[in-house]
Amino acid sequence: MRALPETGQGRWRLDRHARLVVYEADAGDELVTVYDCGAAQKPPAAQFIGNLVRVRPPHEIEHTPTGYIVTLREGGTLVEQGEDHYVIEEREE
């Protein structure tokens, strides 16, 4: 996750309107691709394998045949919660 701005050990800032595309694998892991903005025509800001277990800031979820898409309304902080487990917390100022 080198492309995401780090705000501390195991913590990364997610922009307002960030979009996370989550592909659910049969093995239980998820492939998470992070885009700075859903409307921007830019390559992904980051990609990792793990489990996104909770999203606390205001967001929308769209279910897809292969997983789901999370769109943040006000941004947030991606926090590593242990081996391969991540949550999105309210944005740190």
Side-chain angles (χ1 to χ4, degrees):
M1 282 183 274
R2 292 177 221 153
L4 293 176
E6 197 167 354
T7 63
Q9 181 69 26
R11 304 174 76 82
W12 298 269
R13 183 175 54 81
L14 298 171
D15 288 338
R16 185 174 188 217
H17 302 296
R19 180 172 284 180
L20 291 84
V21 178
V22 181
Y23 171 77
E24 296 174 321
D26 292 335
D29 286 338
E30 298 173 335
L31 173 63
V32 182
T33 304
V34 182
Y35 296 90
D36 289 334
C37 178
Q41 297 294 316
K42 295 177 11 180
Q47 192 171 54
F48 61 93
I49 295 174
N51 291 290
L52 185 59
V53 295
R54 186 173 42 253
V55 180
R56 291 192 170 141
H59 65 281
E60 297 172 11
I61 292 184
E62 175 188 343
H63 293 278
T64 68
T66 58
Y68 57 97
I69 300 169
V70 177
T71 303
L72 300 178
R73 293 186 189 133
E74 300 300 325
T77 302
L78 180 66
V79 180
E80 189 172 17
Q81 292 279 294
E83 191 172 326
D84 298 330
H85 286 84
Y86 298 85
V87 298
I88 299 176
E89 303 282 353
E90 296 284 340
R91 173 176 264 178
E92 299 171 341
E93 296 303 326

